[in-house]
Amino acid sequence: MPHINRKNIDRRTNKPNDEYTESWIQPDQVLRRSEQTRRDDDIIRTPKRSIYDIDYAIKIFIEKEIQPVVLDNNITIPVPVIFAHGEKWDNVRRLGYMRDEKGMLQSPAIMIKRNSFVERDNYKTLDVNINPDSNLIVAVNRYNPRNRYEDTLFPFPVGQSNNAESLPAYVVNIPKYITVEYELMVWTDFSTQLNELVNDLFTYNRFSWGNGSNSYNTTMGTISFETVNTISDDRIVRANIPLTVQATLQSEQEVKVATIRKMYSVKKVSFDMVIDVANNIFESTNVPARVLQQYSSVMSGNQIVVSNPNTGTNTTIDSATMLYLTELSDKIATYSNSTTVTVAGTPKINPVNNLTATGNEFDIYINGQYIDKAAYTWIPNDTITTQTITFNTTELGYNIELEDLIVINGRWA
């Protein structure tokens, strides 16, 4: 975690700290109280994972999960698991075995010794300068006092949606990924006991050792065996099992700043673009100019609302509706008789009401002349591929002839 510039005043110069102490490329991160959220009203624990947690995970896994035992005269004897602290390890280092308070040789027994740990090469982080904003873990909790659970049995009616949600988010620093090296030293009285014990332990090679979330991938290395002869005592046999544990470290504080922060998501305030149109936009092939001016905005993912002040209805125009309104195409009719023509085509489906485009959404031209809708009869049908149009020759003033060019412009599929 990078150093946080607290803007302290240097009493000698009566000036604040330099803004570029961590890097000359960009200024330091500044501790701003206005961007902090109080945490004395929540029950979320600050995440912490120390070396002790890793040691405890290995020890508790051997005791509770593996449960090592040996058989002596048909009696099952649990094998104690001991962590190597200073005094015990000194005896083992000098003598090669352990003794209890009464001086008796301790066998069987398992001792755990931590040798080293190092940061993993493939997960090394650069924390010397400014930490990237994306190098964080964000956990969101749906429930909080500002945003109660919605009633799933009786949800809000359509058009009466709940207020914008305010979700609490806990931002945690990325932990340190480390590799910890352990050594298991196993003592027994007989080689047969040691063989069975090592076999039981090796069964859990490459398992996740630990308890619950405090578990780590553990791998065993080359196992070595040796015999320890003691003066005036029986000999004992020992096995050394190296363990490689892939673990993580997380401190409660880094550079005097907590590694977890609480935030609330910002409620979005949006303003709808409302355009007043006196007529129904789906009753003509002409699209209002103010709607066309918003074409680029709508096709980029935004929406507009078309309001009809005469009827009091509102229509939401999204990208699909905008394409429906603006994409017009031509079809050429085929002569049938002096009053009837046919058109090969299917009208579009209106994405707002899921109905077939009406006859008002098509214009007919005969030899380039617009024909009034009162001069013909046609109900578009999306279930057939050939449309039949019948003209009123009395209203039209002439009969349809084979040489006439009849074009139908409108919302064809």
Side-chain angles (χ1 to χ4, degrees):
M1 185 174 180
H3 176 74
I4 301 297
N5 195 331
R6 290 175 169 79
K7 292 290 185 179
N8 294 329
I9 302 297
D10 189 341
R11 298 305 179 186
R12 293 176 298 179
T13 62
N14 202 28
K15 294 181 179 180
N17 291 341
D18 188 4
E19 295 183 355
Y20 293 83
T21 62
E22 297 293 320
S23 170
W24 288 105
I25 300 176
Q26 50 186 334
D28 301 342
Q29 293 184 4
V30 180
L31 181 65
R32 305 183 187 278
R33 293 293 301 275
S34 60
E35 298 177 354
Q36 297 179 343
T37 304
R38 59 185 297 179
R39 291 201 53 221
D40 57 350
D41 56 351
D42 64 53
I43 58 174
I44 303 299
R45 295 178 56 187
T46 300
K48 177 184 177 181
R49 182 164 288 167
S50 62
I51 291 293
Y52 171 82
D53 297 320
I54 305 172
D55 295 343
Y56 177 80
I58 301 302
K59 184 175 183 293
I60 201 67
F61 183 82
I62 297 176
E63 292 179 338
K64 302 298 183 182
E65 182 66 26
I66 301 179
Q67 298 181 0
V69 295
V70 296
L71 197 63
D72 189 9
N73 292 329
N74 295 325
I75 299 176
T76 300
I77 302 175
V79 179
V81 181
I82 306 168
F83 208 88
H85 55 75
E87 294 79 5
K88 290 186 179 295
W89 172 243
D90 182 64
N91 292 333
V92 174
R93 183 178 58 84
R94 289 187 297 105
L95 305 175
Y97 52 87
M98 292 185 299
R99 292 186 182 273
D100 58 16
E101 292 80 1
K102 297 180 180 180
M104 299 298 293
L105 199 65
Q106 287 188 266
S107 176
I110 296 177
M111 175 177 282
I112 307 174
K113 177 180 177 292
R114 177 175 11 99
N115 292 329
S116 64
F117 80 83
V118 65
E119 187 174 8
R120 279 187 254 174
D121 292 335
N122 53 341
Y123 285 102
K124 284 187 176 180
T125 57
L126 180 63
D127 290 341
V128 295
N129 293 321
I130 296 179
N131 197 27
D133 293 336
S134 59
N135 197 26
L136 298 167
I137 299 175
V138 180
V140 179
N141 185 17
R142 183 173 178 79
Y143 176 81
N144 68 87
R146 301 186 186 182
N147 176 45
R148 301 297 179 91
Y149 285 121
E150 295 182 0
D151 192 341
T152 56
L153 294 179
F154 302 97
F156 292 96
V158 177
Q160 301 180 18
S161 59
N162 192 12
N163 295 330
E165 296 180 349
S166 176
L167 302 178
Y170 293 89
V171 182
V172 186
N173 291 347
I174 297 292
K176 304 296 183 185
Y177 293 88
I178 63 173
T179 299
V180 188
E181 299 290 343
Y182 290 94
E183 184 177 359
L184 291 185
M185 288 165 280
V186 184
W187 288 275
T188 62
D189 294 326
F190 305 103
S191 296
T192 55
Q193 295 175 342
L194 185 63
N195 294 339
E196 291 295 332
L197 199 53
V198 170
N199 182 68
D200 292 342
L201 292 170
F202 193 76
T203 303
Y204 293 88
N205 184 29
R206 300 188 182 278
F207 275 43
S208 181
W209 289 31
N211 57 325
S213 59
N214 189 33
S215 301
Y216 313 97
N217 184 25
T218 304
T219 305
M220 294 184 183
T222 303
I223 303 175
S224 60
F225 298 87
E226 62 179 311
T227 301
V228 180
N229 294 314
T230 63
I231 301 175
S232 71
D233 282 323
D234 294 334
R235 69 176 180 85
I236 59 175
V237 289
R238 186 176 75 177
N240 295 329
I241 307 175
L243 296 181
T244 302
V245 179
Q246 307 295 339
T248 57
L249 286 181
Q250 180 72 284
S251 302
E252 290 184 346
Q253 294 183 350
E254 294 183 7
V255 293
K256 298 182 180 180
V257 177
T259 55
I260 182 173
R261 289 176 292 162
K262 182 180 180 180
M263 299 180 178
Y264 281 96
S265 61
V266 180
K267 291 186 177 182
K268 182 180 179 180
V269 180
S270 60
F271 298 90
D272 291 334
M273 170 66 71
V274 180
I275 300 175
D276 291 334
V277 177
N279 299 320
N280 188 342
I281 59 175
F282 299 119
E283 290 184 350
S284 171
T285 56
N286 296 323
V287 181
R290 293 184 60 191
V291 174
L292 291 177
Q293 291 173 357
Q294 303 299 321
Y295 181 88
S296 298
S297 176
V298 172
M299 297 309 295
S300 299
N302 299 317
Q303 296 181 346
I304 62 174
V305 177
V306 175
S307 177
N308 189 334
N310 297 328
T311 61
T313 57
N314 294 329
T315 303
T316 301
I317 306 298
D318 55 11
S319 58
T321 308
M322 181 64 76
L323 291 177
Y324 174 82
L325 290 172
T326 57
E327 288 187 344
L328 304 178
S329 58
D330 293 337
K331 297 285 185 180
I332 298 178
T334 301
Y335 175 85
S336 294
N337 54 52
S338 60
T339 60
T340 306
V341 296
T342 59
V343 183
T346 304
K348 284 184 178 180
I349 301 297
N350 191 321
V352 175
N353 53 27
N354 292 325
L355 299 178
T356 307
T358 64
N360 293 329
E361 299 179 69
F362 295 88
D363 293 330
I364 298 180
Y365 299 86
I366 299 179
N367 299 325
Q369 181 180 1
Y370 172 76
I371 304 301
D372 190 85
K373 291 179 173 51
Y376 61 87
T377 302
W378 174 41
I379 300 177
N381 189 344
D382 65 318
T383 61
I384 57 178
T385 58
T386 301
Q387 311 292 320
T388 301
I389 303 174
T390 303
F391 290 92
N392 185 343
T393 55
T394 302
E395 184 72 24
L396 189 62
Y398 55 86
N399 293 332
I400 302 299
E401 297 181 357
L402 181 61
E403 294 79 9
D404 290 335
L405 176 61
I406 303 175
V407 178
I408 298 88
N409 173 263
R411 299 186 172 104
W412 294 102

